[in-house]
Amino acid sequence: MSSSTTPFLRRYGTLMACLGFFFALKAGAVEQASTASAPAQCARVSVNTCGIAKALGRGINMGGMLEAPEEGAWGTRLDPAYVDVVAGRFNSVRIPVRWSNHADPDAAAAIDSFFLARVTAVVDAFLSKGMYVIIDVHHYQQLFGEKLQGKEFAVDDAVVEARFVNIWRQLGRHFKNRSDKLIFELLNEPAGRLNANAWNTLAPKALAAVRESNPERVVMIGPVDWGHPRALPSLRVPEDRNVIVTFHTYDPFNFTHQGVDYLPMKLPPGVTCCDEKQRAQIAGPIQMAHAWSAKAGYPVYLGEFGVMKVADIASRATYAKAVRGEAERLGISWAYWDFANAFGVYYPKTRDWIEPMRAALSD
Ligand code: BGC
């Protein structure tokens, strides 16, 4: 599990005072320009990209593995056996990757060839099962102005953004011949000093670096504020016909993040789910993203939601069903966070599904 020391206030922005505790809301033509029949949420993207947004369907995040400072540092490695475990049940898989700690410290940021081969093998294994695969840049702490984690190395501040763009230039070239089932997500949960203006300036540069070698591959971009839908209006989506906008929601936060050890203030365990108020907190952000999507003309994707294993299992399953149900009702594809880590649905040691979670997400 992440041991991020990200300040609570900076990480989750809006605070609610409640019984003396402050709970944070993290939330949260080739083709024709717009064909007459395209749904409003696809008005600005290609027919293929609109189809992919739907086809992503049910997904799972292989979290806590390749985005740890080093694979295994957070207790789980991406065991090749997981590919078959996941493949039959989910349409898509999101693979968070901490490239920044596996690339040269200078602006060119040459990616370590051993690590690149490792990630490539994982990507190809999932692609060979016919799944959609999303890879991102995850936990580039210095880009956010956050503390480094584990044995992470610091780089000169002057090259932080250039490294980000050059990492994408390399990934673009490296994966350019993969099928359109491989999707690039520019950055997980932009936050910290990467405010809306900074992100709206940086994202198009990374996208342009990808486009040099991948003119039509689907690229995902999410808003600041850790990807919460409330920040969607601040996102300036680059003019591009193959973009899907991703968002995250962990509302109600005091339920999903109970017992998490990387928040400055530990949220107490024992919170159950889901009463009427909690159901409204679950549905609100998803409906917000859906409404934004229809207005903006870009399809949206729920790339992360999830609940700590600390919560009781009946509540976890009820929550997972509620989020999934609302997303599916609105035609939004989703990915649960995470497979086998602190928010997991699978026990890596016994190689068993946590049955109520398996059922909630894949039946
Ligand atoms: C972070 C993880 C964290 C999860 C839930 C993810 O985006 O990368 O470290 O466990 O959100 O907070």
Side-chain angles (χ1 to χ4, degrees):
M1 193 64 246
S2 160
S3 59
S4 161
T5 50
T6 306
F8 199 45
L9 277 169
R10 290 182 57 195
R11 178 155 192 191
Y12 299 108
T14 310
L15 285 180
M16 303 188 319
C18 177
L19 297 174
F21 283 101
F22 286 97
F23 293 135
L25 291 170
K26 173 193 186 181
V30 195
E31 289 170 77
Q32 292 306 306
S34 100
T35 59
S37 58
Q41 58 271 25
C42 285
R44 298 176 76 90
V45 300
S46 70
V47 172
N48 189 46
T49 291
C50 186
I52 288 177
K54 273 264 175 292
L56 289 170
R58 303 169 180 173
I60 187 93
N61 277 281
M62 304 310 281
M65 300 170 184
L66 293 163
E67 94 283 15
E70 295 287 345
E71 186 180 7
W74 290 347
T76 9
R77 300 178 58 83
L78 215 159
D79 184 332
Y82 296 161
V83 175
D84 279 328
V85 172
V86 159
R89 305 193 179 278
F90 294 93
N91 311 100
S92 53
V93 64
R94 181 168 175 264
I95 305 172
V97 187
R98 191 182 305 226
W99 298 103
S100 55
N101 202 38
H102 300 275
D104 282 353
D106 59 9
I111 298 172
D112 172 61
S113 55
F114 185 80
F115 185 70
L116 183 57
R118 165 74 181 128
V119 177
T120 305
V122 170
V123 165
D124 286 343
F126 282 112
L127 286 176
S128 77
K129 299 288 173 189
M131 295 183 80
Y132 284 88
V133 178
I134 300 160
I135 53 169
D136 73 352
V137 164
H138 211 97
H139 288 322
Y140 188 176
Q141 297 292 98
Q142 254 190 283
L143 193 54
F144 305 140
E146 298 296 354
K147 269 184 77 171
L148 301 181
Q149 298 174 327
K151 291 189 189 127
E152 224 170 12
F153 57 85
V155 303
D156 186 341
D157 251 337
V159 302
V160 169
E161 293 200 354
R163 289 180 86 239
F164 175 67
V165 173
N166 283 327
I167 283 171
W168 275 118
R169 181 167 287 114
Q170 292 168 80
L171 294 177
R173 284 185 195 144
H174 180 75
F175 286 112
K176 68 174 188 211
N177 293 325
R178 295 304 186 281
S179 81
D180 68 357
K181 288 194 163 177
L182 176 63
I183 292 168
F184 296 154
E185 177 184 334
L186 294 184
L187 184 63
N188 179 62
E189 300 189 349
R193 74 176 174 198
L194 200 63
N195 59 24
N197 277 345
W199 181 225
N200 285 335
T201 308
L202 182 60
K205 292 182 191 166
L207 180 63
V210 168
R211 289 286 176 250
E212 288 167 10
S213 51
N214 294 257
E216 291 179 3
R217 182 176 304 286
V218 170
V219 172
M220 289 188 175
I221 305 178
V224 294
D225 204 358
W226 292 273
H228 195 276
R230 67 178 162 242
L232 282 169
S234 74
L235 179 67
R236 210 179 316 125
V237 186
E239 203 56 52
D240 190 292
R241 313 260 312 129
N242 297 296
V243 162
I244 293 174
V245 173
T246 180
F247 70 98
H248 295 175
T249 171
Y250 284 93
D251 297 335
F253 196 77
N254 67 328
F255 167 68
T256 63
H257 278 62
Q258 58 188 290
V260 160
D261 64 4
Y262 54 84
L263 299 174
M265 188 186 300
K266 198 162 170 173
L267 298 172
V271 183
T272 58
C273 196
C274 307
D275 63 23
E276 223 169 289
K277 185 171 159 220
Q278 290 171 313
R279 285 185 185 276
Q281 288 172 324
I282 287 169
I286 304 172
Q287 290 172 5
M288 200 185 280
H290 180 70
W292 177 87
S293 174
K295 216 166 112 194
Y298 290 94
V300 287
Y301 170 68
L302 173 49
E304 280 186 27
F305 69 97
V307 51
M308 275 291 272
K309 283 197 278 198
V310 168
D312 75 272
I313 185 60
S315 293
R316 293 185 77 212
T318 304
Y319 160 83
K321 258 191 224 154
V323 178
R324 172 189 170 188
E326 187 61 10
E328 289 179 357
R329 186 180 74 81
L330 297 171
I332 297 173
S333 297
W334 50 265
Y336 180 84
W337 181 279
D338 60 59
F339 175 61
N341 212 256
F343 290 58
V345 296
Y346 185 83
Y347 294 119
K349 288 209 176 90
T350 57
R351 300 186 174 262
D352 285 325
W353 287 96
I354 299 175
E355 178 51 27
M357 292 302 280
R358 186 209 58 73
L361 294 171
S362 69
D363 279 354

